[in-house]
Amino acid sequence: MMKRGGRDSDRNSSEEGTAEKSKKLRTTNEHSQTCDWGNLLQDIILQVFKYLPLLDRAHASQVCRNWNQVDSSKESAEAACDILSQLVNCSLKTLGLFSTARPSFMDLPKSHFISALTVVFVNSKSLSSLKIDDTPVDDPSLKVLVANNSDTLKLLKMSSCPHVSPAGILCVADQCHGLRELALNYHLLSDELLLALSSEKHVRLEHLRIDVVSENPGQTHFHTIQKSSWDAFIRHSPKVNLVMYFFLYEEEFDPFFRYEIPATHLYFGRSVSKDVLGRVGMTCPRLVELVVCANGLRPLDEELIRIAERCKNLSAIGLGECEVSCSAFVEFVKMCGGRLSQLSIMEEVLIPDQKYSLEQIHWEVSKHLGRVWFPDMMPTW
């Protein structure tokens, strides 16, 4: 009886222990759910981040979106400037100021950023690649860059730099004759800049990216580049990739595609009219890639056929919120043939007609492409 009672007592103690552990586990889980580290106030996270080394801070910023936004705040931009200011005995060849969530360099005092960047420009005598998008860099700082790195600079990316003037970027083109890649906003593009890039002293440009954005600070209208300037530019650099990103409203397109330009890649991030796309087919014979985010509800049959007829190098096209009849699309693919290495068309773009249904079109397109092709499907989740 004593043994049986002992076993019962042991079992009761074990059950009580298990229940106690389960209670503690539930309490811990509840506490964990209420204390979500990802939902901590940004001020608290920032205070923690200040004690982390730079590499650990970079790793922490990848944990979740909230932490990434904190690490990409004004404080992170200030930390980056502090690091630049300390590079007095370091000669860099490549410098890129960027982040997955775009650091707030524009929120810093302009003088603080410029003084930090100038340290690098003065001490780095062989800088070849510079990426300073979305920063308050200005004309005087570019002159310092040119004075110390004109013989070595090959790549410069500086879109969304509102304190730089056309004269500032012209100084770079005039002195940095080895520049091969350049990215900038359209408000910095000028006839003088294209002619400077086309001078006999200048090497042939390989890549020119132009962002045409209506929200540029102080932008009231878009100027026109002379056809003669484009002609001189393409004669000097016949193999250049001219990439243009357009983020304009319909009424702002008037100065563009009025005469032939050497664009090779066109991306329309907003709705673009049938008229503009029709002008693209008439004025961009070097076109290699075309991406249209949206157009509206007017079929682009004639415009696509015109592009296929005149743009003999077209090898990639993407259409978003547009409409094209199935017959016109098949004719477009037939005219372009197997050179269409990238063909991204949403199924909703294609309008069935008397000749082709949606079920038939992929067979016909695949035949002319020489490979299996299907339209892209909108995710259902």
Side-chain angles (χ1 to χ4, degrees), residues 187-343:
H187 75 279
L188 295 180
L189 187 67
S190 65
D191 294 289
E192 293 78 11
L193 177 62
L194 288 177
L195 294 177
L197 295 171
S198 307
S199 68
E200 292 183 3
K201 295 180 180 179
H202 205 287
V203 300
R204 292 178 176 177
L205 208 68
E206 297 174 357
H207 189 94
L208 175 60
R209 168 175 168 162
I210 302 171
D211 292 348
V212 192
V213 185
S214 59
E215 290 87 356
N216 286 332
Q219 186 84 40
T220 56
H221 67 280
F222 292 90
H223 59 283
T224 300
I225 301 296
Q226 298 297 319
K227 183 179 184 301
S228 57
S229 301
W230 284 122
D231 291 343
F233 175 68
I234 203 62
R235 281 197 302 269
H236 181 73
S237 302
K239 296 182 179 181
V240 65
N241 285 320
L242 175 57
V243 183
M244 301 185 73
Y245 284 79
F246 286 89
F247 294 91
L248 302 181
Y249 297 103
E250 184 172 339
E251 63 275 9
E252 297 172 318
F253 274 102
D254 188 63
F256 302 99
F257 308 111
R258 292 298 181 183
Y259 53 80
E260 189 171 301
I261 63 172
T264 55
H265 299 71
L266 291 177
Y267 304 93
F268 295 97
R270 291 181 182 154
S271 181
V272 57
S273 68
K274 280 173 60 70
D275 175 61
V276 171
L277 289 176
R279 281 151 44 193
V280 165
M282 298 295 293
T283 59
C284 301
R286 298 179 72 245
L287 192 63
V288 173
E289 182 175 12
L290 173 66
V291 176
V292 180
C293 175
N295 165 258
L297 301 178
R298 299 176 61 190
L300 299 176
D301 295 6
E302 295 179 3
E303 289 72 22
L304 275 186
I305 298 302
R306 183 179 299 166
I307 289 172
E309 288 175 344
R310 299 179 64 90
C311 304
K312 301 299 184 181
N313 298 318
L314 187 71
S315 61
I317 187 169
L319 299 178
E321 297 179 15
C322 308
E323 284 192 358
V324 179
S325 72
C326 286
S327 293
F329 181 66
V330 169
E331 181 63 20
F332 167 80
V333 174
K334 182 179 179 180
M335 295 172 67
C336 293
R339 73 169 187 268
L340 281 175
S341 58
Q342 297 182 40
L343 187 61

Side-chain angles (χ1 to χ4, degrees), residues 84 87-92 95 114-127 140-141 143-149:
L84 293 176
L87 300 177
V88 292
N89 296 316
C90 181
S91 181
L92 299 179
L95 175 63
I114 295 300
S115 61
L117 196 62
T118 300
V119 170
V120 177
F121 290 169
V122 170
N123 290 278
S124 298
K125 306 297 184 181
S126 57
L127 193 61
S141 58
K143 289 183 179 180
V144 176
L145 167 69
V146 170
N148 292 276
N149 299 273

Side-chain angles (χ1 to χ4, degrees), residues 105-117:
F105 290 109
M106 295 301 297
D107 295 334
L108 299 178
K110 179 183 171 185
S111 58
H112 179 39
F113 177 85
I114 295 300
S115 61
L117 196 62

Side-chain angles (χ1 to χ4, degrees), residues 49 51-63 67 71:
F49 276 20
Y51 293 97
L52 293 178
L54 185 62
L55 184 58
D56 291 341
R57 186 167 176 171
H59 290 158
S61 70
Q62 300 177 30
V63 171
W67 288 18
D71 191 50

